[in-house]
Amino acid sequence: MPPVLGNLRRFPATDADMDRRQFLIGSMLAACAAGLPFPGGAARRGGRLLPAPLGRGDLVALVSPSGALEEPFDLQIAREVLEALGFRVRIGRHAAGRWGHLAGDDAARAGDLNAAFADPEVRAVVCARGGSGAARLLPLIDYDAIRRDPKVLLGYSDITALHCAIHAKTGLVTFHGPTGTSRWNSFNADQFRRVFLDRELVEYHNQPERGDDLVPRRNRTITITGGRARGELVGGNLTVLTALAGSPYLPDFRGKILFLEDVSEAPYRIDRMFSTLKLMGALDHLAGFIFGECTDCDPGNGYGSLTVRQVVEDYIRPLGIPAYTGAMIGHIPRQFIVPVGGLVEMDADAGGFRLLEPVFA
């Protein structure tokens, strides 16, 4: 009797089986080269793995991989937001948990994330909030499950650790943008619909706030070095990203466009983190650079300090690459939804960037 594997019987392969196998392998390789869908709705384009597209009525998992929620009502609001955007919602088993400042211990939080990616019914994973602690999960993530069924991952701030690690390990395009408990004003809701439901090749340009001024002062971009550049986007929160230095969870920055943002960091800390990026060689071969907002990062009292803008320019201007600051990325009420791994063209003189290729299978 032939050996049994589970409930499957193994029979000797026939010539027809071998021909069929070679045909399937050849078809998959051709699909990869052409950027066509793989079985399960995923696709490869170059080295990037594209998630399956979202549709209204799809099931979305709401998980808490980082900090604990301040109160259970926040989770209800996050559910209602996703339902208002047109989705069914499944809340992670430990999403409302607490272990110190974390939303449950590492195993619980990683378990919810892995369960969401392993569930074929779930089509997107939305993080309830940022905070701190996502980096603790990186060795516990099931990257094979993500490769088997790539799907949308949305979040920002501490979720940068997940964006970096998942992109480094799988090539999956993920999305840096509002969490479930973020402000879902008309701008953010419109960004969500344009990126995920209409699947536009979005052009990202700030909306200056004119107010009563003859010339708008707020929400302006500032050019560091003019010019255009093309490349894949990498980046996120500066503090979280630099904390991954020396680990296998940081993507390759060569030929990429790096975008960064931060919150509540003194300029001398921003300087230290840029110094880390410089010393590790991460800035040496960038194609371009985009700095978002550094919210609440003003110099403190004392003997004086460089400003954040001066720090950024000190490190970026000598690179001679297209670069600008002030993009609507970061801890701000209205923020871009940025595809990490998406291929874009940036224009540092105009202070914007645009998607060049679809970011869904």
PDB file of all heavy atoms in Angstrom, residues 96-113:
ATOM      1  N   ALA A  96      -8.480  44.388  23.131  1.00  0.00           N
ATOM      2  CA  ALA A  96      -8.766  45.253  24.278  1.00  0.00           C
ATOM      3  C   ALA A  96      -7.953  44.855  25.505  1.00  0.00           C
ATOM      4  O   ALA A  96      -8.229  45.314  26.616  1.00  0.00           O
ATOM      5  CB  ALA A  96     -10.254  45.226  24.608  1.00  0.00           C
ATOM      6  N   GLY A  97      -6.940  44.017  25.322  1.00  0.00           N
ATOM      7  CA  GLY A  97      -6.160  43.527  26.447  1.00  0.00           C
ATOM      8  C   GLY A  97      -5.213  44.577  26.998  1.00  0.00           C
ATOM      9  O   GLY A  97      -5.007  45.653  26.416  1.00  0.00           O
ATOM     10  N   ARG A  98      -4.638  44.268  28.127  1.00  0.00           N
ATOM     11  CA  ARG A  98      -3.651  45.167  28.734  1.00  0.00           C
ATOM     12  C   ARG A  98      -2.638  44.346  29.525  1.00  0.00           C
ATOM     13  O   ARG A  98      -3.004  43.477  30.310  1.00  0.00           O
ATOM     14  CB  ARG A  98      -4.319  46.188  29.657  1.00  0.00           C
ATOM     15  CG  ARG A  98      -3.306  47.122  30.332  1.00  0.00           C
ATOM     16  CD  ARG A  98      -4.004  48.145  31.212  1.00  0.00           C
ATOM     17  NE  ARG A  98      -4.662  49.164  30.427  1.00  0.00           N
ATOM     18  CZ  ARG A  98      -4.073  50.246  29.921  1.00  0.00           C
ATOM     19  NH1 ARG A  98      -2.762  50.425  30.125  1.00  0.00           N
ATOM     20  NH2 ARG A  98      -4.737  51.131  29.234  1.00  0.00           N
ATOM     21  N   TRP A  99      -1.376  44.635  29.286  1.00  0.00           N
ATOM     22  CA  TRP A  99      -0.277  44.079  30.068  1.00  0.00           C
ATOM     23  C   TRP A  99       0.730  45.201  30.214  1.00  0.00           C
ATOM     24  O   TRP A  99       1.523  45.476  29.321  1.00  0.00           O
ATOM     25  CB  TRP A  99       0.340  42.876  29.360  1.00  0.00           C
ATOM     26  CG  TRP A  99       1.339  42.133  30.196  1.00  0.00           C
ATOM     27  CD1 TRP A  99       1.127  41.516  31.389  1.00  0.00           C
ATOM     28  CD2 TRP A  99       2.722  41.962  29.893  1.00  0.00           C
ATOM     29  NE1 TRP A  99       2.286  40.958  31.858  1.00  0.00           N
ATOM     30  CE2 TRP A  99       3.287  41.206  30.963  1.00  0.00           C
ATOM     31  CE3 TRP A  99       3.551  42.345  28.842  1.00  0.00           C
ATOM     32  CZ2 TRP A  99       4.628  40.862  30.998  1.00  0.00           C
ATOM     33  CZ3 TRP A  99       4.884  42.001  28.865  1.00  0.00           C
ATOM     34  CH2 TRP A  99       5.414  41.259  29.945  1.00  0.00           C
ATOM     35  N   GLY A 100       0.646  45.914  31.353  1.00  0.00           N
ATOM     36  CA  GLY A 100       1.417  47.140  31.487  1.00  0.00           C
ATOM     37  C   GLY A 100       0.922  48.161  30.477  1.00  0.00           C
ATOM     38  O   GLY A 100      -0.272  48.430  30.375  1.00  0.00           O
ATOM     39  N   HIS A 101       1.837  48.724  29.706  1.00  0.00           N
ATOM     40  CA  HIS A 101       1.441  49.700  28.690  1.00  0.00           C
ATOM     41  C   HIS A 101       1.040  49.038  27.378  1.00  0.00           C
ATOM     42  O   HIS A 101       0.630  49.729  26.436  1.00  0.00           O
ATOM     43  CB  HIS A 101       2.600  50.681  28.428  1.00  0.00           C
ATOM     44  CG  HIS A 101       3.799  50.044  27.776  1.00  0.00           C
ATOM     45  ND1 HIS A 101       4.666  49.224  28.468  1.00  0.00           N
ATOM     46  CD2 HIS A 101       4.270  50.102  26.501  1.00  0.00           C
ATOM     47  CE1 HIS A 101       5.623  48.819  27.648  1.00  0.00           C
ATOM     48  NE2 HIS A 101       5.406  49.334  26.449  1.00  0.00           N
ATOM     49  N   LEU A 102       1.147  47.715  27.297  1.00  0.00           N
ATOM     50  CA  LEU A 102       0.899  46.980  26.063  1.00  0.00           C
ATOM     51  C   LEU A 102      -0.517  46.404  26.025  1.00  0.00           C
ATOM     52  O   LEU A 102      -1.140  46.191  27.066  1.00  0.00           O
ATOM     53  CB  LEU A 102       1.920  45.849  25.908  1.00  0.00           C
ATOM     54  CG  LEU A 102       3.389  46.269  25.927  1.00  0.00           C
ATOM     55  CD1 LEU A 102       4.284  45.049  26.061  1.00  0.00           C
ATOM     56  CD2 LEU A 102       3.724  47.048  24.663  1.00  0.00           C
ATOM     57  N   ALA A 103      -0.981  46.131  24.814  1.00  0.00           N
ATOM     58  CA  ALA A 103      -2.308  45.542  24.639  1.00  0.00           C
ATOM     59  C   ALA A 103      -2.214  44.023  24.776  1.00  0.00           C
ATOM     60  O   ALA A 103      -2.500  43.271  23.841  1.00  0.00           O
ATOM     61  CB  ALA A 103      -2.875  45.924  23.279  1.00  0.00           C
ATOM     62  N   GLY A 104      -1.808  43.540  25.946  1.00  0.00           N
ATOM     63  CA  GLY A 104      -1.600  42.113  26.155  1.00  0.00           C
ATOM     64  C   GLY A 104      -0.131  41.753  26.009  1.00  0.00           C
ATOM     65  O   GLY A 104       0.683  42.565  25.545  1.00  0.00           O
ATOM     66  N   ASP A 105       0.215  40.532  26.404  1.00  0.00           N
ATOM     67  CA  ASP A 105       1.611  40.123  26.285  1.00  0.00           C
ATOM     68  C   ASP A 105       1.970  39.879  24.817  1.00  0.00           C
ATOM     69  O   ASP A 105       1.117  39.899  23.930  1.00  0.00           O
ATOM     70  CB  ASP A 105       1.906  38.899  27.164  1.00  0.00           C
ATOM     71  CG  ASP A 105       1.119  37.665  26.769  1.00  0.00           C
ATOM     72  OD1 ASP A 105       0.746  37.524  25.584  1.00  0.00           O
ATOM     73  OD2 ASP A 105       0.864  36.823  27.649  1.00  0.00           O
ATOM     74  N   ASP A 106       3.256  39.651  24.573  1.00  0.00           N
ATOM     75  CA  ASP A 106       3.731  39.545  23.192  1.00  0.00           C
ATOM     76  C   ASP A 106       3.055  38.401  22.438  1.00  0.00           C
ATOM     77  O   ASP A 106       2.674  38.549  21.273  1.00  0.00           O
ATOM     78  CB  ASP A 106       5.243  39.349  23.167  1.00  0.00           C
ATOM     79  CG  ASP A 106       5.995  40.538  23.732  1.00  0.00           C
ATOM     80  OD1 ASP A 106       5.377  41.609  23.910  1.00  0.00           O
ATOM     81  OD2 ASP A 106       7.207  40.401  24.000  1.00  0.00           O
ATOM     82  N   ALA A 107       2.911  37.249  23.087  1.00  0.00           N
ATOM     83  CA  ALA A 107       2.316  36.087  22.426  1.00  0.00           C
ATOM     84  C   ALA A 107       0.874  36.371  22.019  1.00  0.00           C
ATOM     85  O   ALA A 107       0.432  35.979  20.931  1.00  0.00           O
ATOM     86  CB  ALA A 107       2.384  34.867  23.341  1.00  0.00           C
ATOM     87  N   ALA A 108       0.131  37.071  22.888  1.00  0.00           N
ATOM     88  CA  ALA A 108      -1.270  37.379  22.586  1.00  0.00           C
ATOM     89  C   ALA A 108      -1.377  38.342  21.407  1.00  0.00           C
ATOM     90  O   ALA A 108      -2.179  38.142  20.485  1.00  0.00           O
ATOM     91  CB  ALA A 108      -1.942  37.964  23.820  1.00  0.00           C
ATOM     92  N   ARG A 109      -0.567  39.383  21.437  1.00  0.00           N
ATOM     93  CA  ARG A 109      -0.638  40.374  20.358  1.00  0.00           C
ATOM     94  C   ARG A 109      -0.173  39.787  19.028  1.00  0.00           C
ATOM     95  O   ARG A 109      -0.803  40.007  17.984  1.00  0.00           O
ATOM     96  CB  ARG A 109       0.200  41.600  20.731  1.00  0.00           C
ATOM     97  CG  ARG A 109      -0.441  42.426  21.846  1.00  0.00           C
ATOM     98  CD  ARG A 109       0.401  43.627  22.255  1.00  0.00           C
ATOM     99  NE  ARG A 109       1.614  43.230  22.953  1.00  0.00           N
ATOM    100  CZ  ARG A 109       2.846  43.493  22.562  1.00  0.00           C
ATOM    101  NH1 ARG A 109       3.067  44.170  21.440  1.00  0.00           N
ATOM    102  NH2 ARG A 109       3.895  43.098  23.270  1.00  0.00           N
ATOM    103  N   ALA A 110       0.915  39.026  19.054  1.00  0.00           N
ATOM    104  CA  ALA A 110       1.380  38.379  17.826  1.00  0.00           C
ATOM    105  C   ALA A 110       0.372  37.344  17.347  1.00  0.00           C
ATOM    106  O   ALA A 110       0.176  37.173  16.137  1.00  0.00           O
ATOM    107  CB  ALA A 110       2.741  37.720  18.069  1.00  0.00           C
ATOM    108  N   GLY A 111      -0.279  36.663  18.286  1.00  0.00           N
ATOM    109  CA  GLY A 111      -1.281  35.667  17.912  1.00  0.00           C
ATOM    110  C   GLY A 111      -2.437  36.274  17.147  1.00  0.00           C
ATOM    111  O   GLY A 111      -2.911  35.706  16.155  1.00  0.00           O
ATOM    112  N   ASP A 112      -2.902  37.445  17.587  1.00  0.00           N
ATOM    113  CA  ASP A 112      -3.991  38.116  16.873  1.00  0.00           C
ATOM    114  C   ASP A 112      -3.558  38.520  15.464  1.00  0.00           C
ATOM    115  O   ASP A 112      -4.319  38.373  14.500  1.00  0.00           O
ATOM    116  CB  ASP A 112      -4.438  39.358  17.641  1.00  0.00           C
ATOM    117  CG  ASP A 112      -5.365  39.035  18.800  1.00  0.00           C
ATOM    118  OD1 ASP A 112      -5.679  37.843  18.999  1.00  0.00           O
ATOM    119  OD2 ASP A 112      -5.782  39.978  19.509  1.00  0.00           O
ATOM    120  N   LEU A 113      -2.341  39.037  15.338  1.00  0.00           N
ATOM    121  CA  LEU A 113      -1.838  39.454  14.027  1.00  0.00           C
ATOM    122  C   LEU A 113      -1.685  38.252  13.102  1.00  0.00           C
ATOM    123  O   LEU A 113      -2.128  38.276  11.931  1.00  0.00           O
ATOM    124  CB  LEU A 113      -0.502  40.161  14.193  1.00  0.00           C
ATOM    125  CG  LEU A 113       0.116  40.774  12.934  1.00  0.00           C
ATOM    126  CD1 LEU A 113      -0.716  41.937  12.431  1.00  0.00           C
ATOM    127  CD2 LEU A 113       1.547  41.235  13.222  1.00  0.00           C
TER     128      LEU A 113
END
